[in-house]
Amino acid sequence: DAKTTQPNSMESNEEEPVHLPCNHSTISGTDYIHWYRQLPSQGPEYVIHGLTSNVNNRMASLAIAEDRKSSTLILHRATLRDAAVYYCILRDYNFNKFYFGSGTKLNVKP
Amino acid sequence: GAVVSQHPSRVICKSGTSVKIECRSLDFQATTMFWYRQFPKQSLMLMATSNEGSKATYEQGVEKDKFLINHASLTLSTLTVTSAHPEDSSFYICSARDRPLAPNTEAFFGQGTRLTVV
């Protein structure tokens, strides 16, 4: 899988929006951009994914750059329960596997 | 959404013994499952791909005789850590997808198994 780069950690205040960036400059045309998060001592949880267009769901929004070399996960109103490690992963059409990068640890302050 | 369940969630075993971890897809059939391990404060590392009815494929550097994987049915994969040692202590996580060949579908993860070898 193509490599992704994320900041090691970010901090946010409760009830404020959070923008989590991800760089994937070597993305190919068939790679989907997936985001997962992992709460302490739990398995990862699906957040959102997209290919080219921006995506919204009940958890978050995904903004994808026009050249697809970067994306941003947007949590519209952070809560304490959103404190987790967020992983940005590229999913190739021809491969079945997920390779995790180092992720961004999000700390939410009350 | 689809659910993947792991058992046990936590296990302590003595050095030299073997431990089996189960991964079940509860409401879908999974021809392929994946096993990860995660050390404290590190990311998930893919260990192997479990294929129903055939041999598992292991990532480079993972000992297949040490980590035995069996995928005997469409809803169950097991990981056996053989002759466990303290350095095998880790958080083991399985994953499955209900439509594995579609890249635009999500993966589902188990809740993880905390293995401690004493």
Side-chain angles (χ1 to χ4, degrees):
Chain A
D1 280 350
K3 184 177 173 61
T4 62
T5 304
Q6 299 177 253
N8 288 334
S9 63
M10 291 185 66
E11 199 164 74
S12 169
N13 294 317
E14 196 175 12
E15 299 193 0
E16 289 187 357
V18 182
H19 290 231
L20 297 167
C22 180
N23 286 321
H24 29 79
S25 57
T26 58
I27 191 171
S28 73
T30 55
D31 285 338
Y32 279 79
I33 302 161
H34 286 246
W35 284 82
Y36 287 75
R37 71 180 187 182
Q38 185 180 26
L39 279 66
S41 298
Q42 294 187 28
E45 171 189 33
Y46 169 79
V47 178
I48 200 166
H49 74 274
L51 182 62
T52 56
S53 303
N54 295 343
V55 184
N56 300 298
N57 66 20
R58 63 174 182 82
M59 287 183 71
S61 295
L62 176 60
I64 301 173
E66 197 169 330
D67 62 5
R68 301 208 326 125
K69 294 186 176 181
S70 65
S71 61
T72 301
L73 179 69
I74 302 166
L75 306 179
H76 296 285
R77 288 184 65 199
T79 70
L80 296 178
R81 289 173 295 179
D82 291 323
V85 178
Y86 287 78
Y87 295 99
C88 167
I89 304 167
L90 299 185
R91 169 74 166 85
D92 184 88
Y93 186 88
N94 295 311
F95 294 93
N96 218 359
K97 309 175 185 180
F98 276 147
Y99 291 97
F100 284 77
S102 55
T104 296
K105 184 175 183 179
L106 175 65
N107 181 38
V108 181
K109 296 186 296 182
Chain B
V3 177
V4 174
S5 178
Q6 275 184 249
H7 178 80
S9 58
R10 188 179 294 269
V11 59
I12 300 173
C13 73
K14 291 185 178 180
S15 188
T17 62
S18 296
V19 175
K20 181 185 286 187
I21 301 169
E22 294 186 346
C23 178
R24 294 182 184 272
S25 56
L26 297 185
D27 53 1
F28 65 97
Q29 294 182 334
T31 55
T32 305
M33 293 184 176
F34 305 92
W35 287 96
Y36 296 83
R37 67 188 296 184
Q38 183 177 34
F39 293 109
K41 300 189 186 302
Q42 294 187 23
S43 185
L44 284 78
M45 184 194 81
L46 179 64
M47 299 175 65
T49 303
S50 172
N51 303 298
E52 188 269 334
S54 65
K55 290 183 179 179
T57 55
Y58 292 80
E59 295 297 306
Q60 191 173 7
V62 178
E63 302 174 58
K64 54 184 169 184
D65 294 332
K66 172 77 171 174
F67 300 100
L68 300 180
I69 292 173
N70 183 276
H71 194 150
S73 78
L74 287 172
T75 59
L76 174 64
S77 174
T78 60
L79 169 68
T80 301
V81 182
T82 63
S83 186
H85 291 283
E87 56 265 31
D88 298 323
S89 298
S90 188
F91 193 50
Y92 292 87
I93 304 167
C94 71
S95 170
R97 303 176 70 171
D98 55 356
R99 286 175 287 167
L101 297 182
N104 60 338
T105 59
E106 63 197 88
F108 301 98
F109 291 83
Q111 72 272 36
T113 296
R114 176 79 57 194
L115 170 63
T116 303
V117 184
V118 298

